[in-house]
Amino acid sequence: MAKEVMKKIIEGNETYYEKVDNWEEIQRGQSPKITLITCSDSRVSGHIINKDMVNFVFHIRNIGNQIENNFGSVDYGVQHLRTPILLILGHTDCGAVKASQKDFSKETDEIKKELYPLYFNLMPAVNKNDKDDKKYISRLVQHNVDIQVMDAMNRYTSENTFIVGAVFDMHKHYSDKEGRIIITNINGLTDEDALKGHPLLAAIEENLRDVRVKRL
Ligand SMILES: [Zn+2]
């Protein structure tokens, strides 16, 4: 198995480097436009935004897309690379969010260290009566994104960065199509109508905005 995977790494990279035709630009240095924080979940790749994310996304990942675990890296993206957007992207069916709601006492200390903040952050949103609802975990995911946006707002007060919270909807919990990125928060704003009218989304066609801005 590992041997096959290693083959994929090398052969995949062989195909990749042959396709790239702007090495000179890449070699001059990076100039990403998004600092992106996502869960480490392998289904939530930067490629969900576009196939070619090279030099466009400064991508930081950890379980549960938690900003406080990686403030150093996020500082680098926001303060040094000055990306105009800091996107905190949760996803439906997040294993880290689910794990934070179960007994995780037997995990390693390092995993516990990353699950405790989720557990405490989500506590106010937990409603045992809703647990059978298939969107229950997604609601917690959305709440977690709100908390992460708030933490980012407290830290990046003077930078000209829009802080955007969103959820990658793999399970059609927000609309009738899977795979969409749904905007749930901009700079702490969570009202659906206010979000739809936010100047940051002004260039997006109205029909598209209507399905891409939603709260559970
Ligand atoms: Zn996850």
Side-chain angles (χ1 to χ4, degrees), residues 38-44 62-65 89-98 118 141 144 170:
T38 69
C39 185
S40 303
D41 189 305
S42 57
R43 297 167 295 178
V44 194
N62 59 56
I63 54 170
N65 42 272
L89 182 65
H91 68 96
T92 52
D93 197 43
C94 180
V97 167
K98 280 199 277 194
L118 276 178
V141 165
N144 178 41
M170 289 188 267

Side-chain angles (χ1 to χ4, degrees), residues 195-197 201-202 204-213:
L195 281 171
K196 282 177 188 166
L201 308 183
I204 302 169
E205 198 196 319
E206 201 181 334
N207 289 349
L208 197 54
R209 224 183 310 156
D210 278 347
V211 283
R212 294 310 187 106
V213 174

